[in-house]
């Protein structure tokens, strides 16, 4: 029997009921193992982090590596949190116009609930880190409050935007968790919780976009197909590229920033690999055409689509 969109949402909703996390019940913030010590060498960025393996960073004194390491982790967490705030507000805008009996209403609300817990968990981590981090760029923080309106006006574009935020963070967190380096247990706990719930959120965005794709009007599809790579690249940069203020606070030299985002061939590969799953989805939802492919290529996020969701990219460029 083939599953309908409603069936899949029901499965996701049931999973949310039976497996979910609470920022304060499931993390013992006062546990001595979770205390953040600014001399703890486990804050040195792992090799799975592009900055962590850059020669400039590796050449710094351990104290500096730790200082930058805590700041970087706290700032990425803060951007994730700001992104989730937009998502929660957008989900409410979207749910607000759904009819009685809608399966989407229930799942969207489960997701918003989970994201609320994530924002609490992330903020608590930032507070514990002792870093007064700004999160995203000034531009992102300025336009952030109006982005949820997109969920009402162009929900299709909005849910692609959701993936633009969720995929890079999820991809990065999974790479770090898979890595061999020793990491601080508090950060590990947060990432494990996040990755577990994110799988459902990303699943929902994929299901929604696949369900709606055939219902798009021709010219809407063409416009969206060109907007999708732009949304992907913009939001990915907001999350991964340190803002001007963050660069100043960390003392990152200009050349290092250029190398990492995204001049060096190795960095280009990191960037391309982030979007394998989204390229697969773009193929499946009719978002790939000769014009949009050029946009993907111009923005340097083209490449082979994943064969299945969560496929780990090969080491070969
Ligand atoms: Fe989240
Ligand atoms: Fe999420």
């Amino acid at each position: 029997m083939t599953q309908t969109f409603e069936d899949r949402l029901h499965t996701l909703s049931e999973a949310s009921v039976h497996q979910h996390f609470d920022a304060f019940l499931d993390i013992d913030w006062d546990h001595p193992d979770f205390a953040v010590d600014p001399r703890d060498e486990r804050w040195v960025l792992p090799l799975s982090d592009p900055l962590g393996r850059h020669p400039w960073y590796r050449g710094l004194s351990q104290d500096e590596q730790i200082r930058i390491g805590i700041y970087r982790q706290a700032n990425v967490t803060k951007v994730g949190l700001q992104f989730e705030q937009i998502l929660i507000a957008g989900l409410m805008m979207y749910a607000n116009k759904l009819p009685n009996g809608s399966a989407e209403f229930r799942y969207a609300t489960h997701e918003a609930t989970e994201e609320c817990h994530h924002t609490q968990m992330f903020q608590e981590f930032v507070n514990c880190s002792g870093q007064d981090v700004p999160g995203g760029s000034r531009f992102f923080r300025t336009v952030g409050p109006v982005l949820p309106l997109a969920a009402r006006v162009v929900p299709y574009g909005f849910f692609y935007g959701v993936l633009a935020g969720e995929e890079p963070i999820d991809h990065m967190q999974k790479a770090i968790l898979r890595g061999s380096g020793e990491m601080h247990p508090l950060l590990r706990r947060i990432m494990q919780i996040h990755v577990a719930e994110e799988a459902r959120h990303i699943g929902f965005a994929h299901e929604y976009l696949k369900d709606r794709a055939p219902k798009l009007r021709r010219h809407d599809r063409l416009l969206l197909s060109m907007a999708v790579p732009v949304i992907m690249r913009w939001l990915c940069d907001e999350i991964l590229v340190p803002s001007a203020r963050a660069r100043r606070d960390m003392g990152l030299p200009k050349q290092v920033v250029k190398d990492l985002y995204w001049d060096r061939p190795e960095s280009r590969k990191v960037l391309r690999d982030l979007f394998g799953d989204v390229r697969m989805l773009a193929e499946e939802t009719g978002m790939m055409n000769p014009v949009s492919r050029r946009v993907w290529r111009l923005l340097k996020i083209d490449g082979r689509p994943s064969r299945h969701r969560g496929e780990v990219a090969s080491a070969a460029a």
Side-chain angles (χ1 to χ4, degrees):
M1 199 182 77
T2 51
Q3 269 201 326
T4 63
F5 177 54
E6 274 69 29
D7 294 337
R8 293 202 181 93
L9 290 197
H10 185 71
T11 307
L12 286 171
S13 295
E14 285 296 308
S16 286
V17 173
H18 297 295
Q19 192 213 29
H20 58 214
F21 298 91
D22 180 290
F24 295 96
L25 286 176
D26 294 302
I27 300 176
D28 181 359
W29 296 95
D30 295 325
H31 195 286
D33 285 356
F34 285 171
V36 176
D37 174 357
R39 284 156 315 196
D40 189 334
E41 56 191 62
R42 289 174 301 184
W43 292 112
V44 172
L45 290 172
L47 293 171
S48 49
D49 182 306
L51 175 57
R53 59 177 178 266
H54 192 282
W56 171 80
Y57 181 80
R58 302 242 68 93
L60 295 172
S61 69
Q62 195 181 67
D63 283 358
E64 268 300 276
Q65 289 184 345
I66 293 171
R67 182 187 72 81
I68 292 174
I70 302 187
Y71 186 99
R72 170 79 178 148
Q73 302 286 18
N75 200 52
V76 170
T77 304
K78 183 81 185 190
V79 193
L81 181 172
Q82 290 162 340
F83 181 82
E84 288 173 332
Q85 289 174 320
I86 297 169
L87 172 54
I88 295 163
L91 286 169
M92 289 300 119
M93 296 266 176
Y94 183 72
N96 180 265
K97 64 167 195 204
L98 293 171
N100 292 331
S102 157
E104 276 171 72
F105 177 90
R106 179 173 165 193
Y107 186 73
T109 316
H110 279 306
E111 182 166 316
T113 307
E114 289 164 10
E115 293 295 10
C116 270
H117 286 289
H118 295 175
T119 60
Q120 286 189 317
M121 170 171 86
F122 284 169
Q123 186 60 58
E124 200 61 19
F125 173 72
V126 170
N127 297 349
C128 290
S129 76
Q131 309 294 308
D132 185 21
V133 287
S137 68
R138 191 187 297 249
F139 177 70
F140 179 66
R141 285 178 283 138
T142 308
V143 299
V146 298
L147 293 180
L149 285 172
R152 190 75 180 229
V153 189
V154 270
Y156 204 81
F158 180 80
F159 280 104
Y160 257 108
V162 170
L163 284 180
E166 292 190 326
E167 294 271 6
I169 294 185
D170 189 57
H171 203 275
M172 199 177 62
Q173 291 183 333
K174 283 198 282 210
I176 293 174
L177 288 173
R178 268 196 309 266
S180 54
E182 201 190 349
M183 69 193 287
H184 194 281
L186 178 58
L187 193 59
R188 177 176 291 277
R189 181 80 186 120
I190 286 171
M191 286 192 185
Q192 281 166 341
I193 289 178
H194 200 245
V195 162
E197 295 200 320
E198 226 38 29
R200 289 196 292 266
H201 301 174
I202 293 174
F204 172 57
H206 278 250
E207 293 299 335
Y208 172 88
L209 293 165
K210 280 195 278 194
D211 181 71
R212 291 302 191 280
K215 298 162 191 148
L216 289 174
R217 281 179 305 204
R218 237 180 114 97
H219 68 278
D220 285 347
R221 176 174 298 123
L222 183 67
L223 277 176
L224 281 162
S225 74
M226 289 181 289
V228 163
V230 177
I231 299 171
M232 289 300 145
R233 179 62 203 272
W234 171 45
L235 291 175
C236 163
D237 278 2
E238 286 296 347
I239 289 164
L240 296 182
V241 183
S243 66
R245 157 106 188 263
R247 292 200 295 260
R248 238 185 2 257
D249 289 350
M250 287 188 282
L252 293 189
K254 234 188 180 135
Q255 190 54 49
V256 174
V257 176
K258 280 178 119 184
D259 283 356
L260 291 173
Y261 314 104
W262 308 91
D263 275 8
R264 292 205 310 191
E266 189 210 338
S267 313
R268 294 267 175 99
K269 175 170 159 45
V270 169
L271 179 63
R272 276 200 312 271
D273 286 352
L274 290 174
F275 293 107
D277 288 8
V278 185
R279 286 191 294 266
M280 178 183 76
L281 183 70
E283 299 278 1
E284 289 170 2
T285 54
M287 292 289 129
M288 285 296 191
N289 54 56
V291 188
S292 70
R293 275 182 215 283
R294 281 187 76 128
V295 184
W296 282 84
R297 195 161 54 239
L298 273 171
L299 296 173
K300 305 184 175 74
I301 50 176
D302 57 324
R304 187 177 67 74
S306 299
R307 278 178 287 248
H308 56 84
R309 201 147 75 75
E311 183 191 358
V312 178
S314 73

